[in-house]
Amino acid sequence: MAHLDLANLRTTLLDDTQLAAVALHRTLAGHLPVSSGQLVVCDPLVQAEAPALADYTAPAGRHPVEIIVHSGRPALAVAWFKPRQALTASALHWQMARWTTQDLTGLDEDSFIGYPVDAGIGCFMDTDTQQALLALIEQADGEEGGAWSNALVDHDGLDEGAEYRPWGEDSPHGLVVFTSGWGDGVYPSYWALDTSGHPVALVTDFLCIQNGDGRDEREIADQAYRDSLPPEEAEALARLVAAVERDDANALRVLLKDAPQRANQIEPGCGGTALFEAIRLDRPQALRVLLQGAALPAMPERLHMSRVTSYLEYARFLKKPRSAELMAVLEAPVIADRPEPVAAPRRSFWVRLFGRK
């Protein structure tokens, strides 16, 4: 089976809140005029003559085109032939778009076919618009750069998609253009089919994200950690960090009384531990309370930096030197308490009387 990141394609159906949770957002690029029903996906600056896609046709009309944006660039572009809100992800079947000369059956799960991008731009257009565009290009033949291509390259908003209508607003022709993710390459497109086998959308995946998630591994791990904390524990950690900021020793003792491990737990709000914050804010009294006479614990790996993997290294790493008092707390050796001498059991009177030699 050909490459298919189903989670990526299904992000096009998420609402705005769901998209935000995975570091994505949606923009409306414009509306795609369709008259012939034959659709073209291509880099219009390099391959405007690309053949139309095979297998399916789109209904006539003006169809909304949305962009799923990741880190300021299009991750997916989708042309909707039915209202998005009326569709259910589980009811859709996805099929890789192809051209008549291409066969999908020989592709393995890591392979795909797509259109090449060499000028950093992709588009959706109908073949009627394509013919008008090719005529425009022919008219500009011989011009350096070409007014049409310069206007396209200089078009505002390509990172979030835009309509391109060089024939004027009253023309029936127009294409929707967008930057191709993070640059040049080859990008697959997919038909979304309803239960009757009719296309309801066409999506180009610019391969910027995986598994429908715009977050990196660290962001995903951070969210998993936040989700794992019971609300009362998250609140206690927040209060602990706030007590460090105030240098409130009494509050720290109360919060650590039954849970001393909190001193070395990451508080999601600040992203550090109470120990980390005590060092950062140069709070020697708070640090002393947090340690409770014990040795410095290992710094959580989440807080490691280049050449900094311990709390002591962090204190030495900071540009502004920490106070001598704080450094003394950090560098003080931990001396194990000597056990109290155990008194020999006192012998009874009779043992002392008759046991004498």
Side-chain angles (χ1 to χ4, degrees), residues 12 16 43 66 85 92 128 141 241 313 319 338 342:
T12 60
D16 292 346
D43 179 337
E66 296 180 332
Q85 296 83 352
L92 298 182
D128 288 343
D141 189 29
V241 168
E313 288 174 348
K319 186 174 182 180
R338 293 179 179 178
V342 179

Side-chain angles (χ1 to χ4, degrees), residues 283-333:
R283 301 283 194 266
Q285 176 182 249
L287 180 62
R288 194 175 290 110
V289 175
L290 291 170
L291 289 175
Q292 299 185 19
L296 273 172
M299 177 190 282
E301 188 174 348
R302 173 68 177 78
L303 302 179
H304 288 187
M305 297 172 276
S306 178
R307 300 193 304 274
V308 175
T309 59
S310 71
Y311 285 117
L312 185 56
E313 288 174 348
Y314 173 60
R316 292 169 176 166
F317 164 81
L318 292 169
K319 186 174 182 180
K320 182 179 179 181
R322 304 294 88 181
S323 65
E325 185 181 358
L326 184 126
M327 293 306 297
V329 176
L330 288 171
E331 295 171 343

Side-chain angles (χ1 to χ4, degrees), residues 17-28:
T17 300
Q18 292 169 322
L19 285 173
V22 290
L24 302 170
H25 73 272
R26 171 186 289 108
T27 64
L28 177 64

Side-chain angles (χ1 to χ4, degrees), residues 52-77:
L53 295 172
D55 300 324
Y56 302 100
T57 58
R62 296 183 73 250
H63 303 294
V65 174
E66 296 180 332
I67 306 296
I68 303 300
V69 181
H70 172 246
S71 298
R73 293 279 181 156
L76 300 108

Side-chain angles (χ1 to χ4, degrees), residues 1 5 90 109 126 138-139 144 212 216 226 230 234 241 245-246 250 274 298 300 302 305 316 339 351:
M1 180 180 177
D5 191 330
S90 60
E109 63 181 13
D126 178 270
E138 186 175 356
Q139 291 173 11
E144 184 176 351
D216 59 30
R226 286 192 290 270
V241 168
E245 294 173 354
R246 300 192 309 271
N250 290 332
R302 173 68 177 78
M305 297 172 276
R316 292 169 176 166
V351 171

Side-chain angles (χ1 to χ4, degrees), residues 112-349:
F112 60 83
I113 56 176
Y115 68 85
V117 173
D118 291 313
I121 292 177
C123 78
F124 294 132
M125 63 179 165
D126 178 270
T127 52
D128 288 343
T129 289
Q130 182 185 42
Q131 292 306 309
L133 179 62
L134 291 173
L136 189 65
I137 294 171
E138 186 175 356
Q139 291 173 11
D141 189 29
E143 295 181 18
E144 184 176 351
W148 80 273
S149 58
N150 289 335
L152 178 54
V153 171
D154 295 336
H155 203 297
D156 291 334
L158 289 183
D159 286 344
E160 295 190 343
E163 292 183 10
Y164 178 60
R165 305 174 67 88
W167 307 276
E169 294 300 317
D170 295 332
S171 170
H173 304 309
L175 54 161
V176 178
V177 295
F178 27 78
T179 50
S180 53
W182 293 107
D184 298 343
V186 176
Y187 301 108
S189 298
Y190 300 86
W191 296 102
L193 309 174
D194 63 17
T195 54
S196 299
H198 297 137
V200 297
L202 177 64
V203 179
T204 296
D205 186 348
F206 290 114
L207 310 177
C208 296
I209 62 173
Q210 292 183 328
N211 301 317
D213 201 322
R215 299 168 298 169
D216 59 30
E217 291 182 2
R218 184 164 178 168
E219 290 171 324
I220 293 172
D222 286 349
Q223 185 61 54
Y225 172 69
R226 286 192 290 270
D227 292 343
S228 72
L229 285 175
E232 60 275 12
E233 185 60 24
E235 181 183 355
L237 290 171
R239 290 167 57 200
L240 190 69
V241 168
V244 169
E245 294 173 354
R246 300 192 309 271
D247 212 10
D248 188 337
N250 290 332
L252 290 173
R253 291 188 184 97
V254 171
L255 290 164
L256 295 172
K257 181 179 179 182
D258 297 320
Q261 75 280 0
R262 284 178 180 153
N264 200 37
Q265 282 183 264
I266 290 177
E267 194 279 305
C270 71
T273 64
L275 287 167
F276 189 92
E277 290 299 290
I279 296 169
R280 185 180 70 84
L281 298 171
D282 205 346
R283 301 283 194 266
Q285 176 182 249
L287 180 62
R288 194 175 290 110
V289 175
L290 291 170
L291 289 175
Q292 299 185 19
L296 273 172
M299 177 190 282
E301 188 174 348
R302 173 68 177 78
L303 302 179
H304 288 187
M305 297 172 276
S306 178
R307 300 193 304 274
V308 175
T309 59
S310 71
Y311 285 117
L312 185 56
E313 288 174 348
Y314 173 60
R316 292 169 176 166
F317 164 81
L318 292 169
K319 186 174 182 180
K320 182 179 179 181
R322 304 294 88 181
S323 65
E325 185 181 358
L326 184 126
M327 293 306 297
V329 176
L330 288 171
E331 295 171 343
V334 177
I335 302 174
D337 291 335
R338 293 179 179 178
E340 292 290 333
V342 179
R346 184 174 176 82
R347 294 183 298 171
S348 70
F349 171 78

